[in-house]
């Protein structure tokens, strides 16, 4: 174990396992109330999956939207958001968690801004993912971190914060600029040299700065192995080294999901997970520690699913997948299944699109969509590039090139007549701005990730006309699992009989998601996770939690959150 902040001690009020956004929110909130806190991170770098994420938060009826509404903008209520979340989660979520996430999201947001000093951008035009469901809105529920100067915030600690390796651009700028060929790379290089960071790394930097300001101790290379307990109460953490650190008030598990334990993932998830982009240290450590004490588990079939390609990228020396966004949403690209046919709206949100790739069936099953490929032409490559590749450069190994569509079909193993017919049909409609087969480009979300400068009528649609043609394989991937330890609406871990385990809290991807199988919109990962981290910190500190009565309630949240730590 290596302390980055603070001198080693054998006892604290609160010990937090993990250093993602949920864990750090819990740590910073408890410390702000005067608790002594230690954050233990298994990896050598801080930030977990949150640090390499987009950093966005989905917060229903947030005060930024209400302020915009007062100026003639948005209309949103917790009631509408709850209706939408229930629909998008297919009715599988637990009301207690849903109510906590929706009702206290803005309370957490205000606290993060006012008390912790986290600064956000309001994304007024980022649509919810499922525009077809009741309660959805076409903007106002998603926010993201502002650019942050990590060196000024953290000093020497900055070098210990995990990076996604990307330039410091916000997600709003990503949408505004569209394809990477249009990015102002010189400006982004200047930002990086000045110490500016964006997205998840900016969020983690600001949360870490808040934690350090209030005296939180931080250690890395500190793997928790089991929980110490006495008389039915958790009393501390035993590390893999055998060292025990006592926690007078609580232990908070925020260790991430279990996606990198391949045997565990195969035994629990609803579909095979072929790749992921999270840190390889997400091996289910927290889940196992809680299970040893009889913790209840829920939602372990689910993950934050996403279509990915395997391009040779690595994280901590392990191969990872690359999320496909504009590459399959931009006008002029399509996705084909093993039969050379389209099978879904390529522009829909990544979580639902990935579900179209899922199956445990053998390749002999003729209905299986995998292997799937994104297919585009040379005109697309010239306009937008593909990931880091640009027209005129040697074709990378992850791209398959064919001078003609039949040649490309032979190389990717699909019937040539099907691929040609599929492209011809798609092209005929794309030039009109239509997609009668899968309705691509009809929703606000589809158009948001299209190209406003598209030469064709619909920003999401364009024909594939000029060779050579290219294909890139797509597999079912995930940002991480999102089921596991069951908690109540205060983030207290529940045993198999539904009673809280004294002194034990859990937040983040180690826990059952408040939105179950649903993915309401951009930031629906971090929004509820930070909210539960905030509720954990306040509960441990015995502090009351209130929300602004100016917004309509999503449902009765009657549990008193004060004084529940003991």
């Amino acid at each position: 174990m290596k302390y980055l902040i603070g001198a080693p001690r054998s006892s604290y009020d609160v010990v937090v396992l993990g250093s993602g956004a949920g864990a750090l929110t819990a740590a910073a909130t408890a410390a702000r109330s005067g608790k002594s806190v230690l954050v233990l991170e298994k990896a050598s770098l801080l930030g977990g999956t949150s640090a390499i994420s987009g950093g966005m938060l989905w917060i229903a009826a947030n005060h930024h939207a209400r302020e915009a509404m007062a100026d003639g903008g948005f209309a949103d209520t917790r009631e509408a958001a709850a209706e939408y979340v229930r629909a998008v989660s297919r009715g599988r979520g637990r009301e207690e968690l849903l109510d906590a996430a929706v009702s206290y999201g803005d309370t957490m947001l205000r606290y993060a801004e006012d008390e912790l000093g986290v600064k956000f951008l309001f994304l007024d035009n980022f649509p919810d993912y499922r525009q077809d469901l009741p309660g959805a809105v076409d903007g106002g529920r998603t926010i993201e971190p502002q650019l942050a100067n990590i060196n000024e915030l953290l000093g020497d600690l900055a070098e210990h914060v995990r990076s996604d390796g990307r330039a410091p651009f916000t997600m709003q700028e990503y949408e505004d600029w569209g394809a990477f060929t249009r990015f102002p790379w010189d400006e982004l290089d200047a930002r990086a040299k000045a110490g500016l960071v964006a997205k998840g790394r900016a969020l983690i930097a600001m949360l870490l700065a808040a934690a350090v300001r209030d005296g939180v101790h931080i250690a890395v290379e500190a793997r928790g192995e089991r929980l110490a307990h006495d008389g039915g109460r958790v009393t501390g953490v035993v590390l893999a080294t055998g060292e025990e650190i006592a926690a007078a008030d609580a232990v908070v598990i925020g260790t991430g999901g279990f996606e990198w334990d391949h045997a565990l993932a195969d035994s629990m998830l609803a579909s095979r997970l072929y790749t992921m982009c999270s840190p390889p240290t997400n091996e289910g450590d927290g889940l196992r520690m809680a299970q040893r004490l009889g913790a209840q588990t829920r939602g372990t079939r689910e993950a934050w699913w996403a279509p990915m390609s395997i391009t040779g990228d690595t994280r901590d020396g392990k191969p990872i997948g690359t999320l496909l966004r504009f590459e399959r949403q931009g006008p002029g690209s399509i996705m084909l299944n093993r039969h050379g046919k389209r099978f879904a709206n390529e522009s829909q949100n990544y979580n639902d699109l990935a579900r179209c790739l899922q199956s445990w069936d053998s390749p002999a099953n003729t209905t299986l969509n995998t292997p799937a490929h994104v297919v585009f032409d040379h005109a697309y490559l010239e306009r937008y590039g593909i990931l880091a590749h640009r027209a005129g450069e040697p074709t990378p190994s992850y791209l398959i090139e064919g001078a003609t569509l039949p040649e490309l079909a032979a190389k990717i193993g699909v019937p040539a007549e099907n691929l040609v017919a599929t492209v011809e049909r798609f092209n005929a409609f794309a030039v009109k701005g239509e997609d009668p087969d899968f309705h691509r480009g009809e929703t606000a979300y589809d158009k948001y990730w299209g190209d406003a400068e598209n030469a064709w009528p619909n920003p999401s649609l364009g024909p594939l006309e000029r060779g050579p043609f290219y294909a890139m394989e797509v597999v079912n991937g995930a940002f991480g699992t999102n089921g596991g330890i069951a908690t109540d609406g205060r983030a207290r871990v529940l045993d198999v009989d539904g009673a809280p385990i004294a002194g034990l809290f859990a937040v983040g991807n180690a826990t059952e998601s408040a939105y179950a199988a649903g993915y309401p919109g951009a930031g629906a990962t971090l929004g509820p996770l930070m909210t539960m981290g905030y509720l954990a910190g306040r509960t441990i500190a015995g502090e009351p939690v209130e929300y602004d009565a100016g917004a309509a309630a999503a449902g009765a949240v009657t549990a008193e959150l004060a004084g529940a730590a003991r």
Side-chain angles (χ1 to χ4, degrees):
M1 180 168 64
K2 177 183 178 182
Y3 274 78
L4 300 179
I5 299 292
R9 288 168 45 180
S10 60
S11 178
Y12 294 82
D13 293 330
V14 183
V15 176
V16 178
L17 294 164
S19 63
L24 288 179
T25 302
T29 302
R32 192 70 177 156
S33 295
K35 298 294 182 181
S36 62
V37 181
L38 170 65
V39 169
L40 296 173
E41 169 56 53
K42 171 185 176 180
S44 60
L45 295 172
L46 298 165
T49 308
S50 302
I52 57 173
S53 74
M56 308 171 94
L57 278 66
W58 192 87
I59 305 292
N62 65 74
H63 61 279
H64 295 289
R66 292 203 298 278
E67 291 163 5
M69 181 175 65
D71 295 330
F74 301 90
D76 188 21
T77 64
R78 295 189 183 96
E79 185 175 60
E83 178 186 29
Y84 172 61
V85 169
R86 290 188 187 100
V88 80
S89 62
R90 303 169 177 86
R92 292 174 59 186
R94 276 196 294 134
E95 283 295 306
E96 182 177 14
L97 295 184
L98 185 152
D99 283 351
V102 171
S103 294
Y104 292 105
D106 192 49
T107 306
M108 177 280 296
L109 181 59
R110 284 188 179 276
Y111 185 90
E113 292 172 327
D114 297 343
E115 298 294 328
L116 304 183
V118 183
K119 300 182 184 302
F120 293 101
L121 300 170
F122 175 56
L123 304 184
D124 58 357
N125 65 337
F126 206 120
D128 286 342
Y129 284 172
R130 292 294 303 273
Q131 293 287 301
D132 57 314
L133 297 178
V137 297
D138 59 7
R141 288 175 177 163
T142 294
I143 62 171
E144 70 168 318
Q146 292 185 17
L147 294 172
N149 192 308
I150 194 169
N151 296 328
E152 292 179 1
L153 283 170
L154 300 178
D156 292 342
L157 187 61
E159 65 183 271
H160 298 284
V161 178
R162 186 177 290 281
S163 171
D164 62 5
R166 294 181 289 180
F169 57 85
T170 67
M171 292 302 290
Q172 181 65 69
E173 289 174 329
Y174 186 4
E175 191 278 332
D176 289 342
W177 297 332
F180 290 131
T181 51
R182 299 172 181 169
F183 276 40
W185 292 108
D186 290 343
E187 177 186 339
L188 295 175
D189 288 342
R191 286 183 187 178
K193 290 176 182 176
L196 292 176
V197 295
K199 302 181 285 294
R201 197 171 190 222
L203 178 63
I204 291 298
M206 288 185 276
L207 288 172
L208 274 171
V212 172
R213 280 195 302 267
D214 284 321
V216 173
H217 289 196
I218 299 170
V220 295
E221 299 172 16
R223 181 174 190 169
E225 187 169 87
R226 60 185 176 86
L227 299 169
H229 56 96
D230 181 31
R233 178 181 180 81
V234 171
T235 59
V237 176
V238 179
L239 303 181
T241 59
E243 180 181 355
E244 181 173 340
I245 300 174
D249 290 336
V251 170
V252 180
I253 295 174
T255 53
F258 57 85
E259 63 273 10
W260 281 91
D261 184 324
H262 301 293
L264 191 60
D266 274 357
S267 71
M268 289 189 171
L269 293 177
S271 176
R272 176 161 286 121
L273 184 56
Y274 287 92
T275 189
M276 41 270 179
C277 58
S278 58
T281 46
N282 289 354
E283 298 173 302
D285 294 0
L287 174 62
R288 279 186 288 269
M289 282 188 275
Q291 284 179 315
R292 292 189 187 104
L293 296 187
Q296 184 181 154
T297 59
R298 287 176 175 267
T300 54
R301 290 169 52 84
E302 291 298 334
W304 303 113
W305 307 109
M308 295 184 177
S309 284
I310 300 173
T311 62
D313 289 344
T314 62
R315 178 154 289 126
D316 297 355
K318 299 289 183 67
I320 59 170
T322 299
L323 171 67
L324 301 182
R325 192 185 291 273
F326 190 85
E327 294 76 24
R328 43 93 184 173
Q329 292 174 309
S333 68
I334 59 176
M335 281 183 66
L336 303 177
N337 64 13
R338 60 186 299 190
H339 306 293
K341 298 181 178 181
R342 292 179 67 216
F343 57 92
N345 170 7
E346 298 92 343
S347 289
Q348 68 183 295
N349 72 83
Y350 39 78
N351 190 61
D352 286 328
L353 180 57
R355 293 178 188 278
C356 300
L357 300 171
Q358 296 179 354
S359 178
W360 284 104
D361 297 336
S362 70
N365 186 334
T366 57
T367 64
L368 195 62
N369 284 320
T370 54
H373 291 84
V374 167
V375 173
F376 54 95
D377 70 352
H378 195 70
Y380 181 97
L381 184 62
E382 289 178 334
R383 286 195 304 272
Y384 307 125
I386 195 81
L387 300 177
H389 177 58
R390 302 290 178 264
E393 299 175 348
T395 302
S397 60
Y398 59 81
L399 281 185
I400 302 165
E401 179 180 346
T404 64
L405 288 173
E407 181 180 323
L408 184 67
K411 289 185 176 181
I412 64 175
V414 304
E417 63 274 17
N418 288 358
L419 190 153
V420 171
T422 295
V423 171
E424 288 179 349
R425 177 175 175 80
F426 178 82
N427 287 352
F429 288 112
V431 296
K432 301 176 183 178
E434 303 171 357
D435 179 20
D437 296 329
F438 296 101
H439 309 287
R440 177 175 170 182
E442 294 182 7
T443 72
Y445 179 79
D446 288 7
K447 292 182 174 71
Y448 184 87
W449 283 108
D451 179 7
E453 300 177 12
N454 186 23
W456 307 101
N458 192 309
S460 300
L461 298 169
L464 291 72
E465 298 177 313
R466 177 161 60 90
F469 298 90
Y470 305 89
M472 180 167 57
E473 187 172 4
V474 185
V475 297
N476 180 42
F479 304 145
T481 56
N482 67 355
I485 303 166
T487 70
D488 66 6
R490 312 175 198 184
R492 298 183 301 179
V493 174
L494 302 176
D495 67 17
V496 292
D497 295 315
I501 297 175
L504 185 59
F505 292 72
V507 299
N509 284 347
T511 68
E512 170 192 10
S513 170
Y515 300 149
Y519 210 138
T525 51
L526 294 180
L529 303 190
M530 286 182 63
T531 300
M532 296 306 288
Y534 164 76
L535 292 173
R538 296 289 283 183
T539 303
I540 292 167
E543 299 284 355
V545 178
E546 299 176 353
Y547 63 82
D548 185 356
V557 183
T558 58
E560 174 57 53
L561 294 177
R566 302 181 192 280

